[in-house]
Amino acid sequence: MDSLCDLQIMLSEMREQIKEQYNRVLPTGELFFDRFSKALELGAGRGSSVYDSSLVLGDVSIGENVWVGPNTVLDGFHAKLSIGNWVTIASGACIFTHDSSKHYLSGGRDKSVSAPVTIGDCTVIGTLAIINPGVSIGNHCLIGSHALVNSNIPDNSIALGMPAKVVGRVEIDELGNVNYLWDN
């Protein structure tokens, strides 16, 4: 019983330290695992971080300064998943290189789909977005929360919805300021 009390005291102290330093309260597992170290173990580029609760499968390439949020799925198990530099993959987003829906719907007669996925540089994947196999998302794109991306998204696009549709453009001026230009 003393060891359980000691563990609870240690966790409480760790949470308090993180709260004071970063103004956040993390799940217990995140207190023990450094997200920057996990990114390095995965071969990610400099400055990248991957939360411990992120599920990473197979052939996943992660560039520099990438933030992979908690409770995400990066599935490179059936084909390569390539993530560029300066990408944010927000909490709960799922990127898949396979889809076995037709296989199961057909009772095993139809094949599963496997295809690579590419996420360009300077792109934001919103909370709970789903990226399907074979999709390529360009550079400087904003993919909205809850979007279902089942087709390619060109550079500098804003894509929202289920399925995701391009509804605007990202414009970056000579000073680096970002403007959203919405379609009418």
Side-chain angles (χ1 to χ4, degrees):
M1 191 65 155
D2 286 340
S3 60
L4 179 59
C5 289
D6 291 342
L7 177 61
Q8 289 172 333
I9 290 169
M10 180 184 73
L11 288 173
S12 180
E13 290 171 354
M14 291 171 77
R15 281 198 177 94
E16 188 58 36
Q17 179 185 2
I18 295 292
K19 188 173 182 185
E20 284 179 23
Q21 189 172 1
Y22 300 107
N23 194 25
R24 58 178 72 168
V25 178
L26 300 174
T28 302
E30 301 292 347
L31 296 173
F32 290 104
F33 298 98
D34 178 66
R35 57 194 169 100
F36 294 96
S37 296
K38 181 174 180 178
L40 287 174
E41 290 171 12
L42 293 168
R46 178 183 52 80
S48 292
S49 69
V50 178
Y51 271 77
D52 185 55
S53 60
S54 180
L55 178 60
V56 182
L57 304 168
D59 190 5
V60 177
S61 170
I62 300 171
E64 294 183 354
N65 300 300
V66 173
W67 184 81
V68 179
N71 304 310
T72 53
V73 176
L74 305 180
D75 165 32
F77 192 71
H78 296 275
K80 183 163 183 68
L81 169 55
S82 301
I83 301 167
N85 300 316
W86 289 98
V87 172
T88 288
I89 301 172
S91 303
C94 299
I95 305 172
F96 296 106
T97 61
H98 83 287
D99 180 353
S100 55
S101 300
K102 291 181 179 180
H103 178 72
Y104 286 97
L105 288 168
S106 69
R109 293 184 307 263
D110 203 349
K111 295 179 181 176
S112 295
V113 173
S114 297
V117 172
T118 302
I119 310 295
D121 293 337
C122 303
T123 289
V124 174
I125 307 297
T127 300
L128 298 172
I130 298 171
I131 314 300
N132 278 351
V135 167
S136 179
I137 297 175
N139 299 316
H140 303 282
C141 289
L142 175 61
I143 306 300
S145 295
H146 296 270
L148 172 63
V149 183
N150 60 2
S151 62
N152 294 342
I153 305 295
D155 289 347
N156 298 88
S157 293
I158 301 169
L160 308 173
M162 294 182 109
K165 302 273 188 240
V166 175
V167 298
R169 295 192 39 79
V170 174
E171 179 183 82
I172 304 169
D173 69 20
E174 62 278 349
L175 299 175
N177 298 311
V178 175
N179 296 301
Y180 302 136
L181 304 175
W182 301 97
D183 295 344
N184 292 330

